[in-house]
Amino acid sequence: MPSMDEYCVQLKQAVVDYNRDQAVAIAQTIVDQGLDAQKAVFDGLIAGMQVVGKYYEDQYYFVPEMLMCAQALYSALDILKPHMPQTDLGLKGQVVMGVVQGDVHDIGKNIVKLMFEVAGFEVKDLGRDVPLDDFVREQLSSDADMVCLSAMMTTTMTGMREVIRKIKEKNPKCRIMIGGAPVTEELASKWGADGYAPDANNALREAIAMVSSLHEMYQQAQARD
Amino acid sequence: MSRDELTSLERVAMALQYKKPDRVPVAPLVCAASSRVLGIGIDEWSKDAELAVKSLLQAQEIIGMDAFVTLVDLSVEAGDWGQEVVYPRDSTAYTNTANPVIKEVEDYYHLEKINPRETPRMKHVIDMVRGLSAAKGQEVAIVGFVYGPLGVLSQLRGHERLFMDCLAHPDAVATAEEVITQVLVEYAQAQVEAGAHSICLDTLYSSGSIMSKALWEKLEGPFAKRVADAIRDTGAILTLHNCGNDIYFDVQEKWLHPVGISHAYPADDCQKDWAKHAAKWGKKIVTIGYSVPSNTGLLMSEDEIMEDCRQQIETFKDCDGGFILATGCEFPPNGSLISAMAMVKAAKTYGRYV
């Protein structure tokens, strides 16, 4: 019987190879044998996604491969998640995200959402075509640390400015990221956003950097325990 | 500013042949933004060819652009296959991909041929071309527009699902593309018959921001080639549009041999550097670009736009006249038309060839 470390290696490889069936089978075996689901998520799924992210960065993988890997990861995560204890990473980690009203293009948002979820953040996904006031209401009611807004059209993009203004007025510490093809650094800066990503590639890069740092924090927390 | 010596059509035609015209042609890709000249909604503009023609003609009178582009939106072709389309009054129409025509992989095999000359939305574009041609076809360049086979399919299936199917079910994807390609060939031919001087084929997914070159060459290259060949066979000029980052000039040249490409970013082999792009590709494929639409339409002052355009003209000044100043994608429908006018002013001020 493989060791837990060997299962993690297999799980990691299944994600990298976008082999959903394999990822699901290994995750189920880990649960059935009462092994450490959290370790499987961090050392298997997240480790795999870090490789995928590197491949993506190097333009060895592209959006189709990324989506397939994500599908494998999600399928395994569904099995492992109910068996994970909550680890306190010292972060509240709440994120509100969505595609703004009038817009339905959500690949970038979905990829970033995936990375936040895998990293242990609590994500409130408002979906697509989201009324602008819903972002403000959700942030204020949840006191989320971060709000991510996405738009792919210049006509819908401009609504972000008002959302940023309203949230920052009430909660200046909330970090707001905006993304989508028409968004530029100049517009993000002018509207008071804390960051921007013009496409899923850039958004993913930012998310992976964050996930990697969380992974380190997890390992430090494990070492402390 | 000295006076123009050529008509807009002559100017664009010369630039596309690498013959220096009187000045750099300019095409800010004002499409749905023209609806505001007539005070109509974009929904109406997208469905009423007569009004669309009227607004484009008036916009051209005001702005002075050298070319019309009949890009309505990316849902046009898919809408004619029965894909649900949402028409907001003040924004670009889009497909509701939560309710796709192709719901299951099996549905790729059931897509049927349609006649673009009779279907509502593609016929709308053909009628737009006809109207523009009748009014200004001897003076202003008319560029028809066709979304590429894989792009159309993404509107019928949803982008995310299509991209995964490209890896998991490539045969199914190719089967549907075969049908779509046949229709797009006829659609392009119909636009040329209606008076288009050039057809712009949108190959959005041939870029590093979406898929690998190998996958594009496998699943769109051969199909797009057939549309490209058909356009050339009519005698019209083939141009491409691709506003993706890290755009693949090499494989698109290999498969499609376009005269010009409307693009927003430098080619993937130019390290995101426009000067390198001009040096490597500028004398092979005419660049139609590269103002940033949202900055130009929504943010920059007239002076800033003039300076931005001056730099672009300077970047491509050694390309034997093969450059058309344009936005890298459609001019924002909600952008200031004064900004489009500033682009024209810049071409007239800084773009004189001596």
Side-chain angles (χ1 to χ4, degrees):
Chain A
M1 185 188 299
S3 67
M4 184 62 205
D5 284 343
E6 286 168 332
Y7 278 133
C8 287
V9 170
Q10 290 174 15
L11 201 50
K12 174 182 169 183
Q13 198 58 43
V15 170
V16 174
D17 293 342
Y18 44 93
N19 187 335
R20 179 167 58 168
D21 292 346
Q22 179 77 352
V24 165
I26 298 165
Q28 193 59 56
T29 303
I30 288 168
V31 168
D32 291 346
Q33 293 183 9
L35 297 173
D36 186 345
Q38 181 158 286
K39 182 176 170 60
V41 169
F42 277 91
D43 292 350
L45 299 182
I46 291 182
M49 215 55 193
Q50 284 174 321
V51 174
V52 172
K54 178 73 169 58
Y55 284 179
Y56 196 68
E57 184 81 13
D58 294 343
Q59 296 208 318
Y60 176 60
Y61 273 10
F62 294 83
V63 171
E65 290 84 358
M66 172 67 63
L67 292 170
M68 293 290 280
C69 293
Q71 189 184 50
L73 182 146
Y74 262 132
S75 301
L77 190 63
D78 281 347
I79 295 166
L80 294 168
K81 209 168 185 178
H83 303 276
M84 284 173 68
Q86 295 296 313
T87 297
D88 185 4
L89 298 176
L91 294 171
K92 190 165 58 174
Q94 282 190 323
V95 183
V96 173
M97 55 171 45
V99 179
V100 300
Q101 191 162 36
D103 213 323
V104 295
H105 305 89
D106 59 359
I107 288 181
K109 186 265 293 174
N110 289 344
I111 289 177
V112 174
K113 175 190 170 191
L114 166 83
M115 301 309 294
F116 277 114
E117 284 188 335
V118 169
F121 275 70
E122 184 186 327
V123 178
K124 177 72 177 178
D125 182 4
L126 300 179
R128 9 188 241 177
D129 196 13
V130 179
L132 300 175
D133 281 344
D134 285 10
F135 287 100
V136 182
R137 196 178 305 119
E138 189 61 38
Q139 195 283 324
L140 294 178
S141 65
S142 65
D143 197 25
D145 310 87
M146 186 181 286
V147 175
C148 301
L149 307 162
S150 174
M152 282 296 283
M153 301 191 288
T154 50
T155 45
T156 56
M157 173 186 77
T158 50
M160 293 173 168
R161 177 171 41 186
E162 193 59 11
V163 175
I164 295 168
R165 189 187 65 76
K166 284 183 176 174
I167 292 175
K168 290 283 187 183
E169 201 174 87
K170 303 269 175 137
N171 187 356
K173 285 184 178 172
C174 177
R175 289 182 63 79
I176 301 179
M177 309 282 288
I178 63 177
V183 177
T184 64
E185 191 171 6
E186 292 84 356
L187 281 166
S189 169
K190 188 180 178 194
W191 294 347
D194 299 292
Y196 95 106
D199 54 32
N201 194 342
N202 287 275
L204 182 76
R205 194 176 302 138
E206 296 299 318
I208 284 174
M210 189 187 62
V211 170
S212 296
S213 66
L214 280 167
H215 193 203
E216 285 168 21
M217 291 173 74
Y218 166 76
Q219 288 174 325
Q220 287 165 6
Q222 291 287 85
R224 279 199 306 274
D225 295 343
Chain B
M1 274 193 292
S2 57
R3 288 181 60 83
D4 289 347
E5 294 162 12
L6 303 172
T7 66
S8 291
L9 177 59
E10 290 167 337
R11 186 172 300 117
V12 171
M14 286 185 73
L16 290 173
Q17 297 172 76
Y18 286 103
K19 294 176 184 168
K20 284 186 180 174
D22 52 351
R23 63 161 169 84
V24 169
V26 55
L29 308 193
V30 170
C31 301
S34 70
S35 63
R36 297 194 349 261
V37 176
L38 281 192
I40 59 174
I42 295 175
D43 53 347
E44 214 175 342
W45 185 89
S46 305
K47 290 188 277 193
D48 186 325
E50 203 173 319
L51 285 176
V53 167
K54 199 171 172 185
S55 65
L56 281 165
L57 289 171
Q58 290 193 10
Q60 198 273 336
E61 288 290 331
I62 295 166
I63 296 166
M65 66 262 200
D66 288 313
F68 295 111
V69 181
T70 60
L71 162 62
V72 175
D73 57 70
L74 300 181
S75 71
V76 167
E77 294 87 350
D80 283 344
W81 262 285
Q83 177 60 51
E84 181 187 342
V85 177
V86 180
Y87 296 92
R89 188 196 180 278
D90 297 317
S91 184
T92 311
Y94 57 90
T95 52
N96 177 15
T97 49
N99 179 27
V101 162
I102 299 176
K103 291 181 169 57
E104 307 292 338
V105 171
E106 188 60 27
D107 295 338
Y108 282 110
Y109 295 98
H110 298 147
L111 208 61
E112 292 184 356
K113 235 184 121 176
I114 55 177
N115 184 349
R117 297 167 196 270
E118 294 174 358
T119 54
R121 299 213 68 204
M122 286 190 272
K123 183 175 182 298
H124 168 86
V125 173
I126 297 165
D127 288 344
M128 278 173 69
V129 171
R130 187 173 291 112
L132 292 169
S133 177
K136 288 267 186 168
Q138 301 299 312
E139 303 158 49
V140 181
I142 298 168
V143 182
F145 196 89
V146 175
Y147 200 10
L150 207 51
V152 173
L153 200 48
S154 72
Q155 301 286 332
L156 293 165
R157 174 67 166 150
H159 303 82
E160 205 165 319
R161 287 180 290 269
L162 173 73
F163 292 151
M164 289 197 281
D165 291 340
C166 284
L167 294 176
H169 307 285
D171 292 344
V173 170
T175 300
E177 279 195 282
E178 173 60 39
V179 174
I180 290 170
T181 298
Q182 292 174 33
V183 174
L184 296 184
V185 163
E186 191 163 353
Y187 180 38
Q189 289 167 336
Q191 289 187 60
V192 176
E193 288 165 20
H197 304 109
S198 167
I199 298 293
C200 184
L201 179 62
D202 186 335
T203 51
L204 179 61
Y205 300 141
S206 185
S207 77
S209 52
I210 300 292
M211 62 175 56
S212 67
K213 288 179 187 177
L215 192 59
W216 184 80
E217 288 196 82
K218 178 180 175 186
L219 283 179
E220 185 162 63
F223 298 100
K225 179 183 186 308
R226 285 162 52 193
V227 182
D229 289 345
I231 291 166
R232 261 188 300 272
D233 287 347
T234 64
I237 294 168
L238 172 70
T239 49
L240 305 180
H241 172 73
N242 185 320
C243 53
N245 211 334
D246 291 326
I247 171 175
Y248 301 147
F249 263 58
D250 51 1
V251 293
Q252 291 190 95
E253 184 192 38
K254 173 183 160 188
W255 284 92
L256 309 176
H257 307 296
V259 170
I261 300 184
S262 154
H263 57 124
Y265 298 96
D268 73 313
D269 49 8
C270 295
Q271 295 82 47
K272 305 187 187 302
D273 184 327
W274 280 106
K276 284 182 182 164
H277 180 95
K280 176 155 191 177
W281 289 102
K283 290 184 180 178
K284 294 179 186 166
I285 296 174
V286 173
T287 280
I288 304 166
Y290 58 94
S291 294
V292 178
S294 47
N295 283 356
T296 301
L298 300 166
L299 188 64
M300 296 162 93
S301 67
E302 181 180 328
D303 287 347
E304 288 169 333
I305 292 167
M306 293 277 287
E307 174 55 21
D308 181 46
C309 291
R310 188 195 64 75
Q311 289 177 22
Q312 294 175 49
I313 291 167
E314 179 71 16
T315 301
F316 284 87
K317 70 178 168 40
D318 295 326
C319 293
D320 301 331
F323 175 62
I324 297 176
L325 179 65
T327 43
C329 195
E330 184 188 1
F331 190 86
N334 53 339
S336 166
L337 296 181
I338 292 171
S339 299
M341 292 164 72
M343 289 182 69
V344 175
K345 188 175 171 185
K348 291 183 174 180
T349 305
Y350 305 120
R352 297 283 166 197
Y353 289 111
V354 288

